[in-house]
Amino acid sequence: VRESIRRHGADPSQRRRILEEMERAVPEEEAIWRDVETVKRLNERLMAFDEATLHEDLRERADAMSPEEKTGLKKRINDALLKLGVERRMAGLEEALRTKLHAVAEHVKTAAQTLSAGDSAASLAAVDRAIGEEVHLRRLARQVKALEKVLLSLAKRGRLGKT
């Protein structure tokens, strides 16, 4: 898109094609939010399962635990603490994703408006800003995927009921 604006932005006959390119170049917001929702649901299921397990452990084994059981309980507690960190991190990532997606959309909108008005230099500057935001957006999306892997790892270790 950037190169098209640089080469053909001043040509009114090419602007429609460039504007269509811009629309296709916007990051797939729906896929990003689908990943966020997947991580949130997985985390909720893990937390609900651990809460039930913890209450059961407290009722049935609090007084007389074997060393193996104590080790298991410590592991569950550590897993729960890890998930709490994931939950806080997800909240921060969601807010950052919203901010970056909004910024990309605004820059693309500005690029389209300025290109439509015949100002290819301003359009190019707006595309550059959108590209800068998209770099950050991709980093955030990778962090969401990393959190999903952490939760899936916990689930595979038996901390999640049926999936």
Side-chain angles (χ1 to χ4, degrees), residues 89-157:
R89 185 68 185 132
M90 269 311 296
L93 283 172
E94 274 189 274
E95 183 58 34
L97 282 166
R98 265 189 212 89
T99 301
K100 293 299 177 190
L101 284 165
H102 179 74
V104 168
E106 286 299 313
H107 293 312
V108 169
K109 179 181 173 184
T110 299
Q113 289 171 340
T114 54
L115 183 63
S116 292
D119 189 350
S120 59
S123 181
L124 192 57
V127 166
D128 286 342
R129 289 190 300 274
I131 289 169
E133 295 292 348
E134 188 177 12
V135 168
H136 295 289
L137 185 60
R138 289 186 192 282
R139 180 180 48 82
L140 292 169
R142 282 192 303 271
Q143 290 177 21
V144 168
K145 283 297 201 184
L147 287 173
E148 182 179 16
K149 286 180 183 177
V150 167
L151 293 175
L152 286 172
S153 171
L154 290 172
K156 288 177 183 174
R157 287 190 278 166

Side-chain angles (χ1 to χ4, degrees), residues 31-145:
I32 291 170
W33 288 120
R34 198 171 31 245
D35 288 344
V36 167
E37 286 305 311
T38 297
V39 172
K40 285 172 59 176
R41 279 192 311 275
L42 185 56
N43 188 55
E44 287 169 6
R45 291 173 68 194
L46 281 163
M47 293 300 283
F49 183 77
D50 271 357
E51 181 179 323
T53 302
L54 181 59
H55 289 294
E56 179 183 324
D57 285 346
L58 288 175
R59 281 192 311 267
E60 296 177 4
R61 299 187 230 169
D63 293 329
M65 296 179 95
S66 71
E68 294 82 19
E69 289 172 322
K70 287 180 183 178
T71 300
L73 181 58
K74 285 179 186 178
K75 184 168 178 31
R76 284 193 297 275
I77 290 170
N78 286 337
D79 285 348
L81 291 172
L82 175 63
K83 285 183 288 190
L84 288 174
V86 169
E87 196 169 316
R88 281 193 302 271
R89 185 68 185 132
M90 269 311 296
L93 283 172
E94 274 189 274
E95 183 58 34
L97 282 166
R98 265 189 212 89
T99 301
K100 293 299 177 190
L101 284 165
H102 179 74
V104 168
E106 286 299 313
H107 293 312
V108 169
K109 179 181 173 184
T110 299
Q113 289 171 340
T114 54
L115 183 63
S116 292
D119 189 350
S120 59
S123 181
L124 192 57
V127 166
D128 286 342
R129 289 190 300 274
I131 289 169
E133 295 292 348
E134 188 177 12
V135 168
H136 295 289
L137 185 60
R138 289 186 192 282
R139 180 180 48 82
L140 292 169
R142 282 192 303 271
Q143 290 177 21
V144 168
K145 283 297 201 184

Side-chain angles (χ1 to χ4, degrees), residues 15-26:
R15 287 187 191 136
R16 183 77 234 142
R17 182 187 57 78
I18 296 170
L19 290 170
E20 288 170 2
E21 267 184 64
M22 272 188 222
E23 288 177 19
R24 287 189 305 271
V26 175

